[in-house]
Amino acid sequence: MERRTIGAAALGVGAVGLGCMPMSWAYSASEQHGEGSLRTVHAALDSGTTLLDTADMYGPFTNELLLGRVLRERRHDAFVSTKCGLLVGETHIVANGRPRHVKRACDASLRRLQTEVIDLYQLHRADPEVPVEETWGAMAELVTAGKVRALGFCAVGARADRRAGSGSGIHETTIRQLERVQQVFPVSGVQAELSVWSREALRTLLPWCEARGVGFLAAMPLGNGYLTGTLTPGGGFEADDVRARHPRFTAEMMAANQPIVAGLRRVAQRHGSATPAQVALAWVLEQGRHVVPVPGTKKPHWARENAGADAVVLTAEDLTEISALPPARDSWD
Ligand SMILES: NC(=O)c1ccc[n+]([C@@H]2O[C@H](COP(=O)([O-])OP(=O)(O)OC[C@H]3O[C@@H](n4cnc5c(N)ncnc54)[C@H](OP(=O)(O)O)[C@@H]3O)[C@@H](O)[C@H]2O)c1
C-alpha cells in the first residue's frame, strides 16, 4: 500500500487506515462481536493498513481494550491513533479538557492499548469550560514525557459548527481553535468528516492543513456505509444505531440520494472489479497527499476491500463525474 505522512512529526502510515469505532460503538450493537473484530484488525494490518483509529469513549473503553489484544502481538505493524476529552455519562456525552483528566486518560489508554506510546493522540472535542490552550498544553507535556508521539485535533461536525459559529463559514470554530493550539504545540493531524457526500472540509479545513503540513484523517469516508451501495432505503436500523436518528438515513432521504450511489457504481464499473466503496475511498485519497481515510468496519472482508481502494486510480473523467454528482439531501435541509 502507498505510504502517506502525518504532519509535522512526519509519521509514515499506509494510505488507507481503519476506523475501529463500529466494532464497539455507534452502529448496531447486536453485530458487535469481539472475536470477529480482532480478525478485522488483523485483516487490515495484513492488507497494508497501519493506522488504527480509536478513542477512549468508544464502548466506552472496550474498543481500546480490543485493539490492545492485537497490539500486544503486532505493535510494530500498527500506527495507534486514539482520542481523549469526551466522557460517556448516563444520559449525555460531556467534554472534559481539564489537564489532570487528559493526563490520567492518556495513562489509562496506554494500559488498555497495551503499548508504551500512542502515535497520534487526538483531542476529541474542545471543552467549552476549559481554555483549549490549557488542554493542549497538557497534551504537549505527554509528548515531552514520551507517552505520545504527536498530537491531533478533531473538528466539530460541520453542522454543529454552522449552528455555533457566525453562520458564514463551515469549520470556522475548528479553525479558530486550531490557530490557538498551534501557538502552544504543533498540530500533526486534524480529523473531520470527508466523503463524496460530505465535502465541506474541502473549502477551508483541508487547505488549512495542507498549507501547514498537517495530516488530515478523513472520518466517515463511506458516508456511514451509505456510499457503499449495500444499504437498502427503508431497510431500517436498530434503535441504538446512529443512523436510526440521522437526517440522511430516513427512508425518504436514502431513496433521494440514490443518484450518488449510482454514480459511484458507474465509475466502479469502469475499473473492473472495483466496488462503490473503493471508488468512494479512492476519491478521498485524491483530495491530497496529506489525506488518510479511516473507513470504519467490523468485518474482515470489508477491511480488505477498503484497503484495496489504494489500487483504484481514478481518471480525470471519473473525478469530473463524481464532482458533478448531486449534493446530498437530508431531512434537515
Ligand atoms: N473524530 C470524530 O468525531 C469521529 C466521528 C465519527 C467517526 N470517526 C472515525 O472515523 C471512522 C469512520 O467513520 P464511520 O465508521 O462512522 O463511518 P464510515 O467509515 O463512513 O462507514 C462505516 C460503515 O460502513 C460499513 N462498511 C465499511 N466498509 C464497507 C464496505 N466495504 N462495504 C459495505 N459496507 C462497509 C460499516 O459496516 P460494519 O460496521 O457492519 O462493518 C459501517 O456501518 C470511525 O471508525 C472513527 O474512527 C471519528
Side-chain angles (χ1 to χ4, degrees), residues 3 6 9 15 23 30 51 83 123 136 161 175 281 300:
R3 303 278 294 177
I6 302 277
M23 300 171 193
S30 71
L51 193 155
K83 317 182 188 82
L123 181 59
W136 201 252
D161 203 5
I175 289 177
L281 295 173

Side-chain angles (χ1 to χ4, degrees), residues 93-265:
I93 293 171
V94 289
N96 187 340
R98 287 194 291 278
R100 208 164 101 98
H101 168 71
V102 164
K103 289 183 180 172
R104 283 189 180 169
C106 179
D107 286 338
S109 286
L110 286 166
R111 273 196 302 277
R112 285 189 291 270
L113 291 163
Q114 303 197 43
T115 185
E116 287 176 1
V117 65
I118 292 164
D119 296 304
L120 184 69
Y121 201 43
Q122 300 160 101
L123 181 59
H124 213 155
R125 290 291 181 276
D127 181 345
E129 306 293 323
V130 179
V132 71
E133 293 85 347
E134 277 181 30
T135 309
W136 201 252
M139 292 173 71
E141 285 177 31
L142 296 170
V143 181
T144 312
K147 297 179 179 185
V148 164
R149 290 172 73 198
L151 299 185
F153 198 93
C154 296
V156 182
R159 280 192 200 89
D161 203 5
R162 206 180 301 157
R163 282 197 297 270
S166 61
S168 52
I170 306 298
H171 288 309
E172 256 184 19
T173 311
T174 298
I175 289 177
R176 274 199 302 272
Q177 290 168 340
L178 283 167
E179 297 284 0
R180 287 167 60 190
V181 299
Q182 272 288 66
Q183 307 295 320
V184 178
F185 192 86
V187 179
S188 282
V190 168
Q191 181 167 153
E193 182 172 9
L194 175 64
S195 70
V196 167
W197 79 349
S198 291
R199 305 183 194 186
E200 290 91 345
L202 296 182
R203 285 197 232 159
T204 50
L205 198 52
L206 219 68
W208 188 94
C209 292
E210 190 168 19
R212 290 158 185 81
V214 172
F216 186 92
L217 274 62
M220 297 172 266
L222 297 170
N224 306 85
Y226 184 80
L227 301 173
T228 67
T230 57
L231 298 174
T232 313
F237 297 100
E238 290 179 19
D240 61 354
D241 191 308
V242 286
R243 293 169 297 190
R245 295 169 299 285
H246 192 299
R248 286 189 186 164
F249 286 88
T250 61
E252 189 192 355
M253 290 303 133
M254 286 179 75
N257 285 315
Q258 282 297 310
I260 301 175
V261 175
L264 294 173
R265 197 167 272 131

Side-chain angles (χ1 to χ4, degrees), residues 19 21 27 53 191 220 222-224 294 296-299 306:
M21 184 176 79
Y27 301 103
D53 188 62
Q191 181 167 153
M220 297 172 266
L222 297 170
N224 306 85
V294 286
T297 183
K298 47 184 149 343
K299 303 196 174 78
N306 297 342

